Amino acid sequence: MTIRAVLWDIDDTIFDYASADRTGMRAHLAAEGLLDAWGSVEEALRRWKELTELHWRRYEAEGGDFREQRRGRVRDFLGRPALTAAEADDWFDRYVVHYEAAWELFPDAVPVLDLLARDYRHGVLSNSSIHNQDHKLRALGVRDRFEAVVCAAELGVAKPAPAAFHAACAALDLRPHQVAYVGDQPDIDARGAVEAGLRGIWLDRAGTGGRPELTRITDLRQLPALLRADTRFGAPSTFG
């Protein structure tokens, strides 16, 4: 039952997605002359996140073109259903410039990845596309830390479905019980991993608490001790 590898979520786990999204959206709305169209940047960002979730769930359920779900998000956000594919792509590409300019890893990410690399292999399982996440990991300078990067868009199945976790384990040629999964979402990541036979760990950076049935940490620096303390692993964590 020894853990041999750690699978990682990316966004809001090792990469500070929320901050980059907020900073990027603020800069993009200003550049597009859209700040006055919203009560606040927070309101605009809240709507953007709602549409991201809506269109991703539709894409999960119906399949289709990954770029088209993004175009639908742009059309709904702008309230312009007749926007052409090229116009929607151009708008999103302009947003991406501001978003990528704000990209940063969390400060605890690289030290912990490097420390764990002495004893554990690393991989990624993300509910995104390989195009997005491979590019992101390379831009952030950490792609070489991961043996495999597995993404839902290419798999055709997303977390928390067991098949998504099993595909990532197979990419490492390991059985689920040999793999730990770390992510910021208690249900999609931690509970989903446990139900797939992995050792799921909820990274609760905000210190939300609750969910005593889950193994929980509040900082990645708590992870090495947790992985190596076999007698405690599998029980709900008291960290934080």
Side-chain angles (χ1 to χ4, degrees), residues 8 16 59 83 92 121 132 168 178 185:
W8 298 82
D16 192 353
Y59 172 73
L83 208 64
F92 190 87
R121 298 160 62 194
N132 287 346
Q178 297 175 304
Q185 295 295 317

Coordinates of all heavy atoms in Angstrom, one line a residue, residues 8 16 59 83 92 121 132 168 178 185:
W8 N -1.4 15.7 -9.3 CA -1.7 17.0 -8.9 C -2.8 17.6 -9.7 O -2.8 17.5 -11.0 CB -0.5 17.9 -9.0 CG 0.7 17.5 -8.1 CD1 1.6 16.6 -8.4 CD2 1.0 18.1 -6.9 NE1 2.5 16.5 -7.4 CE2 2.2 17.4 -6.4 CE3 0.5 19.1 -6.1 CZ2 2.8 17.7 -5.2 CZ3 1.1 19.4 -4.9 CH2 2.2 18.7 -4.4
D16 N -1.7 29.9 -8.9 CA -2.7 30.8 -8.3 C -3.6 31.3 -9.3 O -3.5 32.5 -9.8 CB -1.9 31.9 -7.6 CG -2.8 32.8 -6.7 OD1 -4.1 32.6 -6.7 OD2 -2.3 33.6 -6.0
Y59 N -20.0 21.1 -21.9 CA -19.0 20.5 -22.7 C -18.8 19.1 -22.2 O -18.7 18.1 -23.0 CB -17.7 21.3 -22.7 CG -16.6 20.6 -23.4 CD1 -16.5 20.5 -24.7 CD2 -15.5 20.1 -22.6 CE1 -15.4 19.9 -25.3 CE2 -14.4 19.5 -23.2 CZ -14.4 19.4 -24.6 OH -13.3 18.8 -25.1
L83 N -22.0 37.0 -32.1 CA -20.6 37.2 -32.3 C -20.0 36.0 -33.1 O -20.4 34.9 -32.8 CB -19.9 37.2 -30.9 CG -18.6 38.0 -30.8 CD1 -18.8 39.5 -31.0 CD2 -18.1 37.8 -29.3
F92 N -11.2 36.5 -26.7 CA -10.6 35.7 -25.7 C -9.1 35.7 -25.7 O -8.5 35.7 -24.7 CB -11.1 34.2 -25.9 CG -10.7 33.3 -24.7 CD1 -11.5 33.2 -23.6 CD2 -9.5 32.6 -24.8 CE1 -11.2 32.4 -22.6 CE2 -9.2 31.8 -23.7 CZ -10.0 31.7 -22.6
R121 N 7.1 10.0 -7.5 CA 7.0 10.5 -8.9 C 5.8 11.5 -8.9 O 4.9 11.5 -8.1 CB 6.7 9.3 -9.8 CG 7.9 8.3 -9.8 CD 7.4 7.0 -10.3 NE 6.9 7.1 -11.7 CZ 6.2 6.1 -12.3 NH1 5.9 5.0 -11.6 NH2 5.8 6.2 -13.5
N132 N -3.9 23.8 -23.0 CA -3.8 24.9 -22.0 C -2.8 24.6 -20.9 O -2.0 25.4 -20.5 CB -5.2 25.1 -21.3 CG -6.2 25.8 -22.3 OD1 -5.8 26.3 -23.3 ND2 -7.5 25.7 -21.9
A168 N -5.1 8.6 -15.3 CA -3.9 9.3 -14.9 C -3.0 8.3 -14.2 O -1.8 8.3 -14.4 CB -4.2 10.4 -14.0
Q178 N -1.6 3.1 -5.1 CA -0.2 3.5 -5.0 C 0.0 5.1 -5.3 O 1.1 5.6 -5.3 CB 0.7 2.8 -6.1 CG 0.7 1.3 -5.8 CD 1.5 0.6 -7.0 OE1 1.1 0.7 -8.1 NE2 2.5 -0.1 -6.6
Q185 N -10.4 21.2 -4.6 CA -11.8 21.0 -4.5 C -12.1 19.8 -3.7 O -11.7 18.7 -4.0 CB -12.4 20.8 -5.9 CG -12.3 22.1 -6.8 CD -13.1 23.2 -6.2 OE1 -14.2 23.1 -5.8 NE2 -12.5 24.4 -6.3

